[in-house]
């Protein structure tokens, strides 16, 4: 299903709560009671920049357009994508 929305070279960047998948690049979890592998820590730092930028952008948009805070919807397919676009178009 996600292959319908993403090209082979497109990914979602997530935090460690999400499992890595074909379309999801997620950060490494910090091992309990041990130091994180330096390569994993470097990878997490590299991923953090676009994640912070994305989060800040969403915050700015929600500040400028407060109705965006009211949209709570799980996007599960074409029907829900269309519904979310319709909500934005008529807001």
């Amino acid at each position: 299903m996600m292959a319908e929305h993403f090209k082979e070279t497109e990914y979602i960047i997530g935090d460690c709560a999400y499992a890595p998948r074909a379309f999801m690049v997620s950060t490494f979890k910090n091992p309990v009671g041990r130091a994180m592998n330096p390569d994993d820590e470097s990878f997490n730092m590299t991923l953090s920049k676009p994640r912070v930028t994305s989060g800040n952008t969403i915050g700015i948009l929600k500040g400028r357009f407060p109705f965006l805070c009211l949209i709570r919807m799980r996007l599960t397919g074409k029907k829900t994508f269309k519904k979310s676009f319709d909500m934005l178009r008529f807001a």
Side-chain angles (χ1 to χ4, degrees):
M1 175 164 162
M2 293 306 287
E4 297 173 17
H5 305 290
F6 295 96
K7 295 177 185 171
E8 202 171 299
T9 57
E10 295 178 326
Y11 305 94
I12 296 174
I13 298 174
D15 62 22
C16 63
Y18 297 95
R21 311 254 311 252
F23 57 88
M24 170 72 68
V25 177
S26 56
T27 58
F28 289 97
K29 291 183 181 181
N30 194 12
V32 178
R34 294 190 341 229
M36 184 177 280
N37 175 322
D39 289 338
D40 295 350
E41 194 169 350
S42 176
F43 180 83
N44 285 355
M45 185 60 74
T46 301
L47 270 189
S48 72
K49 289 182 180 185
R51 287 180 57 228
V52 168
T53 300
S54 174
N56 289 344
T57 301
I58 290 168
I60 290 167
L61 287 170
K62 286 182 175 182
R64 176 70 174 90
F65 306 103
F67 70 89
L68 292 174
C69 296
L70 304 174
I71 299 174
R72 301 270 186 238
M73 172 182 298
R74 171 169 249 156
L75 301 176
T76 57
K78 289 182 180 181
K79 188 175 182 179
T80 55
F81 276 104
K82 183 179 179 336
K83 185 175 179 181
S84 67
F85 287 131
D86 289 344
M87 290 174 72
L88 292 172
R89 186 174 33 197
F90 298 118

